[in-house]
Amino acid sequence: MDSSAYRVELEIFSGPLDLLLYLVRKNEVDVLDLPLARITEQFLDMLRVIEFIDLDLAGDFVVLASTLAEIKSRLALPRPEEEAPAAVESPLPVDQPRSELIQRLLEYRRFKEAALALEARAAEWQERYPRLSDERPRQEKDPAADRIKEVELWDLVSALGRVLRHKQIEQEATVKYDETPVAVYVEQVSQRVRREGVVAFSALFDGESSRSRIVGLFLAVLELLRHHGFRAEQPEDFGEIYIHPPAGEAPPSLAAASAAE
């Protein structure tokens, strides 16, 4: 497989702090009371999926994973009894790296919430003054604020991880060049979703064991949700994700009947 054919810009996921904040929200815990053991295990699970999608671009996530593992190991060590006299400067607190990480996460959350608030204000402004919307400064949307309908990008990564855990992926001993463009997978997935009306995310990978095809199908789902109006819903946290065609499209049977008339 030619890995460059499926290179993924992981900026779409906005980096390791965005993943860490996602896990904090999903676990419904306070940032100040970060449960290191649970969060670290879940972070490593997501890291494996990122490495499966594109190993070369997972570096920043590996760095934070190492930091989490180091903090977890420090907290697991027994703390020495305080025998040093007060006049002697004490060593750095064992939990200082944890405190520094929490401060970084809090700062990231503040910036993200501010960006979301500005995004909402801009959308409201555009609705009130649509004729002037073209005069607004054009700026690329921050992927960190992107929610694919009711499903976050990290929900899709988590769902792919659940799919991979139940699959035996082909180990490619030799390089296989896959010339299939992602656009082909986009067309295949879009046709199936439109035909069936709703498709479970995991069902898209039934019978697939090739890494290149799995990555291609995953990127096709992202493309359809982000740029083609397709919708995703997840009725239960960490549950199945369902892909729907764009809102307002008639079911295939009704569309065929209208065409016949």
Side-chain angles (χ1 to χ4, degrees):
M1 170 190 169
D2 181 7
S3 61
S4 63
Y6 292 101
R7 180 154 303 273
V8 183
E9 292 298 332
L10 287 185
E11 287 78 3
I12 192 175
F13 303 129
S14 284
L17 284 178
D18 197 62
L19 170 55
L20 190 57
L21 186 59
Y22 164 84
L23 293 175
V24 168
R25 291 199 313 271
K26 281 295 184 181
N27 284 277
E28 298 181 345
V29 295
D30 192 329
V31 174
L32 297 175
D33 189 30
L34 201 63
L36 261 300
R38 192 193 325 166
I39 294 293
T40 300
E41 181 180 355
Q42 294 175 0
F43 192 96
L44 291 174
D45 286 341
M46 298 286 268
L47 175 59
R48 295 185 189 99
V49 183
I50 295 171
E51 290 175 333
F52 179 86
I53 297 171
D54 195 321
L55 178 63
D56 294 337
L57 295 177
D60 289 342
F61 293 85
V62 173
V63 171
L64 185 52
S66 300
T67 301
L68 288 170
E70 179 185 357
I71 296 172
K72 178 184 173 184
S73 63
R74 285 192 180 202
L75 294 177
L77 293 173
R79 300 197 178 196
E81 296 181 1
E82 296 182 2
E83 299 179 353
V88 179
E89 184 178 355
S90 60
L92 290 175
V94 175
D95 61 349
Q96 179 169 324
R98 178 177 183 272
S99 300
E100 293 176 351
L101 177 61
I102 289 174
Q103 289 302 316
R104 288 173 57 198
L105 191 57
L106 288 171
E107 183 178 2
Y108 175 81
R109 186 176 68 177
R110 284 195 296 269
F111 278 107
K112 182 168 184 175
E113 289 174 347
L116 288 172
L118 290 173
E119 181 90 15
R121 290 281 298 273
E124 181 182 357
W125 189 92
Q126 186 173 6
E127 289 180 1
R128 289 186 178 183
Y129 308 101
R131 296 174 61 184
L132 301 178
S133 60
D134 291 339
E135 300 176 9
R136 295 169 56 203
R138 295 192 177 275
Q139 184 175 1
E140 290 295 329
K141 183 178 179 182
D142 180 10
D146 189 14
R147 298 177 69 88
I148 299 178
K149 305 305 176 184
E150 296 304 317
V151 177
E152 292 189 52
L153 292 166
W154 286 118
D155 290 316
L156 292 166
V157 178
S158 179
L160 181 61
R162 292 192 294 274
V163 169
L164 296 177
R165 280 196 292 272
H166 294 88
K167 283 190 172 293
Q168 188 70 29
I169 307 301
E170 293 178 356
Q171 298 296 322
E172 298 173 347
T174 57
V175 177
K176 296 181 180 179
Y177 293 95
D178 191 327
E179 302 294 339
T180 307
V182 174
V184 172
Y185 294 112
V186 169
E187 184 63 22
Q188 291 175 356
V189 175
S190 66
Q191 287 182 1
R192 177 174 177 180
V193 174
R194 286 188 164 102
R195 181 175 64 252
E196 299 182 16
V198 57
V199 176
F201 177 83
S202 60
L204 294 171
F205 305 92
D206 286 347
E208 300 293 348
S209 60
S210 167
R211 177 182 181 271
S212 60
R213 283 191 56 81
I214 291 174
V215 174
L217 289 168
F218 178 72
L219 296 183
V221 172
L222 291 185
E223 175 71 17
L224 290 170
L225 295 176
R226 290 173 62 86
H227 301 299
H228 295 269
F230 282 67
R231 298 165 294 134
E233 65 171 355
Q234 188 177 37
E236 300 179 1
D237 285 346
F238 299 102
E240 181 65 83
I241 293 175
Y242 297 93
I243 312 299
H244 297 262
E249 283 195 4
S253 58
L254 295 179
S258 300
E261 294 177 359

